[in-house]
Amino acid sequence: MSAALPPLIQQYKADSESVYNTWFINNEERLKAFRSIRRGVQQVVKDIKAGSFGNDFKGTSLEFVLSVISEQKQVFQGAAHPFYWKPKLRIPDIYEHEDNKRAFGQFLESCLAATTEQQLLKEIDILDRRKIKGLGPAVASILYFLHPTLMPPCNTAIVNGFNALFGEKIKLGSWSEYLRMRARLRDLNQEHRQHLSLDYGALSGLLFDVGVKKMIAGDQQFATDEDRDKYQQQAQKRHKEVQSEAQEENQHTEMQHHLLRIGKALGCDVTTAINDRNRLSGGQKLSFLCLDQHPELPVPADVASTIRLIDIVWFAPGTSRVVAAFEVEKSTSIYSGILRLTDLAFSMPENETALYLVVPDAREKEVQAQLSRPAIRAAGATIHYILFSELRQHCEALCKFGDSPAAMRKIAKSVVG
């Protein structure tokens, strides 16, 4: 199969609806997720150390992390399921068993600090030897976002794709099986690196598409006409999702355009996320409304990188003082946007920064529910939200009659606790 892989890779890369083209490349949400997830894993470690992690998945910082991962559609849908607390089975046993909980926290802390393959393999071996019930290679999906060039993600579709491509019988739930698959993928990634990427997301996406039979490889066949119909329906669903995502991207860019115009009219220096500068709205590139580059911020480099990925930031003119920040949300979870905004608030506590989520009208109840969560309230950052319809309707009036950044509060809403 190794010799037949290049044509399959080319087919995968040429398909506009493959995971490669709809998730891996030209996807700013994917890039933003890495920092958000690392920040979330750091919080999980802190909570376990402080004894405040809790005895259920719901409401924990781990739920926050897995929600951000799950919003990376296609490959990571369902990533949170293995971590749900199942009381009857007492799995995964990291909620009630304090030693296991502490071991899991130590594992995550060590993986955060790791810089080499050998260090990560050592930590996996230590964790595996504890034989924590229900805690298996699903953790690799977290490791992927910490070390995308060292650890591939792992789920049912990826394993099925691997087995179909290479005639293997890798089993889910076993670290030794995962490591065997990983070793093969490492060699394949090196062999075909000119066609793929050092980032395991590219190859994992190929395995995913084969695993869900979006792509048929080798001797892989549909078992029955019913199976063929099922997978054709899935392909049609994927096509509709791709079309819907394109429409959402246009709305997202439209909202960014409104916010840039309003910010400039209110006398602010404005920027958009660095990977959105070339987007067009109304025939105008967003970069034509922005500063040429972000002001230098008095924060660590990794935090500054996160701030540069916030959708829209308004600065006091001629300074690096952030007066307002906006995250524009689409159909994905709002967790990562909230995390970036709270990151900003914590990093520059001396600033009185107004924080806003800008959301589709249909998601208002979801936004209210998420901003009401105890974990969000405990973070201490006040976040308001603005509906798409309100921003669209009042953009011109705010540009014409607004007298300060505080004018945005007139169309913003808050969750009253």
Short mmCIF file of all heavy atoms in Angstrom, two decimals, residues 57-61 63-64 67 335 338 367-379 415:
data_model
loop_
_atom_site.label_atom_id
_atom_site.label_comp_id
_atom_site.label_asym_id
_atom_site.label_seq_id
_atom_site.Cartn_x
_atom_site.Cartn_y
_atom_site.Cartn_z
N PHE A 57 -17.12 14.89 34.84
CA PHE A 57 -16.60 15.58 33.67
C PHE A 57 -17.28 16.94 33.48
O PHE A 57 -16.63 17.94 33.17
CB PHE A 57 -16.83 14.70 32.44
CG PHE A 57 -16.39 15.31 31.14
CD1 PHE A 57 -15.05 15.46 30.84
CD2 PHE A 57 -17.33 15.72 30.20
CE1 PHE A 57 -14.64 16.02 29.63
CE2 PHE A 57 -16.94 16.27 28.99
CZ PHE A 57 -15.59 16.41 28.70
N LYS A 58 -18.60 16.97 33.69
CA LYS A 58 -19.36 18.19 33.48
C LYS A 58 -18.90 19.30 34.42
O LYS A 58 -18.76 19.09 35.62
CB LYS A 58 -20.85 17.93 33.69
CG LYS A 58 -21.46 16.95 32.70
CD LYS A 58 -21.44 17.51 31.28
CE LYS A 58 -22.12 16.57 30.30
NZ LYS A 58 -22.09 17.11 28.92
N GLY A 59 -18.66 20.45 33.84
CA GLY A 59 -18.29 21.60 34.64
C GLY A 59 -16.81 21.72 34.95
O GLY A 59 -16.39 22.70 35.57
N THR A 60 -16.00 20.75 34.53
CA THR A 60 -14.57 20.82 34.82
C THR A 60 -13.82 21.53 33.70
O THR A 60 -14.32 21.72 32.59
CB THR A 60 -13.96 19.41 34.97
OG1 THR A 60 -14.06 18.73 33.71
CG2 THR A 60 -14.69 18.61 36.04
N SER A 61 -12.60 21.91 33.98
CA SER A 61 -11.74 22.50 32.96
C SER A 61 -11.42 21.49 31.86
O SER A 61 -11.13 21.87 30.71
CB SER A 61 -10.45 23.02 33.59
OG SER A 61 -9.90 22.07 34.49
N GLU A 63 -13.62 19.42 30.58
CA GLU A 63 -14.74 19.56 29.64
C GLU A 63 -14.49 20.74 28.71
O GLU A 63 -14.77 20.68 27.50
CB GLU A 63 -16.06 19.77 30.39
CG GLU A 63 -17.26 19.87 29.44
CD GLU A 63 -18.54 20.31 30.12
OE1 GLU A 63 -18.47 20.84 31.25
OE2 GLU A 63 -19.61 20.16 29.50
N PHE A 64 -13.97 21.81 29.27
CA PHE A 64 -13.64 22.99 28.47
C PHE A 64 -12.66 22.62 27.37
O PHE A 64 -12.86 22.97 26.20
CB PHE A 64 -13.05 24.05 29.40
CG PHE A 64 -13.13 25.45 28.88
CD1 PHE A 64 -14.14 26.30 29.29
CD2 PHE A 64 -12.19 25.93 27.99
CE1 PHE A 64 -14.22 27.60 28.80
CE2 PHE A 64 -12.25 27.23 27.50
CZ PHE A 64 -13.28 28.06 27.91
N SER A 67 -14.23 20.38 24.73
CA SER A 67 -15.20 21.11 23.92
C SER A 67 -14.49 21.90 22.82
O SER A 67 -14.95 21.97 21.68
CB SER A 67 -16.02 22.06 24.79
OG SER A 67 -16.80 21.34 25.71
N TYR A 335 -16.45 28.08 23.16
CA TYR A 335 -15.44 27.93 24.21
C TYR A 335 -14.12 28.61 23.86
O TYR A 335 -13.54 29.31 24.68
CB TYR A 335 -15.15 26.44 24.46
CG TYR A 335 -16.25 25.71 25.17
CD1 TYR A 335 -17.11 24.87 24.48
CD2 TYR A 335 -16.44 25.84 26.55
CE1 TYR A 335 -18.13 24.19 25.12
CE2 TYR A 335 -17.45 25.16 27.19
CZ TYR A 335 -18.29 24.33 26.48
OH TYR A 335 -19.29 23.65 27.11
N ILE A 338 -14.23 32.42 24.08
CA ILE A 338 -14.25 32.86 25.47
C ILE A 338 -12.85 32.76 26.07
O ILE A 338 -12.39 33.65 26.79
CB ILE A 338 -15.25 32.02 26.29
CG1 ILE A 338 -16.69 32.33 25.84
CG2 ILE A 338 -15.10 32.29 27.79
CD1 ILE A 338 -17.72 31.44 26.49
N VAL A 367 -25.30 31.04 24.00
CA VAL A 367 -24.32 31.97 24.54
C VAL A 367 -24.66 32.33 25.98
O VAL A 367 -23.79 32.36 26.85
CB VAL A 367 -24.26 33.25 23.67
CG1 VAL A 367 -23.45 34.33 24.35
CG2 VAL A 367 -23.67 32.94 22.31
N GLN A 368 -25.94 32.58 26.25
CA GLN A 368 -26.36 32.89 27.61
C GLN A 368 -26.03 31.74 28.55
O GLN A 368 -25.55 31.96 29.68
CB GLN A 368 -27.86 33.18 27.63
CG GLN A 368 -28.25 34.47 26.94
CD GLN A 368 -29.76 34.63 26.84
OE1 GLN A 368 -30.52 33.67 26.94
NE2 GLN A 368 -30.21 35.86 26.63
N ALA A 369 -26.27 30.50 28.09
CA ALA A 369 -25.99 29.33 28.92
C ALA A 369 -24.50 29.21 29.22
O ALA A 369 -24.09 28.93 30.35
CB ALA A 369 -26.52 28.07 28.24
N GLN A 370 -23.66 29.43 28.20
CA GLN A 370 -22.23 29.27 28.39
C GLN A 370 -21.64 30.37 29.28
O GLN A 370 -20.78 30.11 30.12
CB GLN A 370 -21.51 29.24 27.05
CG GLN A 370 -21.92 28.08 26.15
CD GLN A 370 -21.74 26.73 26.80
OE1 GLN A 370 -20.94 26.56 27.71
NE2 GLN A 370 -22.50 25.75 26.36
N LEU A 371 -22.12 31.61 29.09
CA LEU A 371 -21.61 32.69 29.92
C LEU A 371 -22.10 32.59 31.36
O LEU A 371 -21.55 33.25 32.25
CB LEU A 371 -22.01 34.05 29.32
CG LEU A 371 -21.34 34.41 27.99
CD1 LEU A 371 -21.85 35.76 27.50
CD2 LEU A 371 -19.82 34.43 28.12
N SER A 372 -23.12 31.76 31.58
CA SER A 372 -23.64 31.55 32.94
C SER A 372 -22.93 30.42 33.67
O SER A 372 -23.15 30.21 34.87
CB SER A 372 -25.14 31.24 32.89
OG SER A 372 -25.86 32.32 32.35
N ARG A 373 -22.07 29.67 32.95
CA ARG A 373 -21.41 28.52 33.56
C ARG A 373 -20.52 28.98 34.73
O ARG A 373 -19.82 30.00 34.64
CB ARG A 373 -20.53 27.81 32.52
CG ARG A 373 -21.29 27.01 31.50
CD ARG A 373 -20.41 26.65 30.32
NE ARG A 373 -19.22 25.96 30.76
CZ ARG A 373 -19.11 24.64 30.92
NH1 ARG A 373 -20.15 23.88 30.65
NH2 ARG A 373 -17.99 24.10 31.30
N PRO A 374 -20.52 28.23 35.82
CA PRO A 374 -19.68 28.59 36.97
C PRO A 374 -18.21 28.76 36.60
O PRO A 374 -17.53 29.67 37.12
CB PRO A 374 -19.88 27.41 37.92
CG PRO A 374 -21.23 26.87 37.58
CD PRO A 374 -21.37 27.05 36.10
N ALA A 375 -17.69 27.91 35.71
CA ALA A 375 -16.27 28.00 35.33
C ALA A 375 -15.97 29.33 34.63
O ALA A 375 -14.90 29.90 34.81
CB ALA A 375 -15.90 26.83 34.41
N ILE A 376 -16.93 29.82 33.85
CA ILE A 376 -16.74 31.09 33.16
C ILE A 376 -16.82 32.24 34.16
O ILE A 376 -16.00 33.17 34.15
CB ILE A 376 -17.77 31.28 32.04
CG1 ILE A 376 -17.70 30.12 31.04
CG2 ILE A 376 -17.56 32.62 31.33
CD1 ILE A 376 -16.36 29.97 30.37
N ARG A 377 -17.81 32.18 35.03
CA ARG A 377 -17.96 33.24 36.03
C ARG A 377 -16.76 33.30 36.97
O ARG A 377 -16.31 34.38 37.38
CB ARG A 377 -19.25 33.04 36.82
CG ARG A 377 -20.51 33.25 35.99
CD ARG A 377 -21.75 33.25 36.89
NE ARG A 377 -22.94 33.56 36.13
CZ ARG A 377 -23.33 34.77 35.77
NH1 ARG A 377 -22.58 35.80 36.09
NH2 ARG A 377 -24.43 34.97 35.09
N ALA A 378 -16.22 32.12 37.29
CA ALA A 378 -15.07 32.07 38.20
C ALA A 378 -13.84 32.71 37.57
O ALA A 378 -12.95 33.17 38.28
CB ALA A 378 -14.77 30.62 38.58
N ALA A 379 -13.80 32.78 36.25
CA ALA A 379 -12.66 33.38 35.58
C ALA A 379 -12.57 34.87 35.86
O ALA A 379 -11.49 35.47 35.77
CB ALA A 379 -12.74 33.14 34.07
N VAL A 415 -25.27 38.68 30.54
CA VAL A 415 -25.99 37.65 31.29
C VAL A 415 -26.02 38.07 32.74
O VAL A 415 -24.96 38.26 33.37
CB VAL A 415 -25.31 36.27 31.14
CG1 VAL A 415 -26.01 35.24 32.00
CG2 VAL A 415 -25.30 35.87 29.68
#
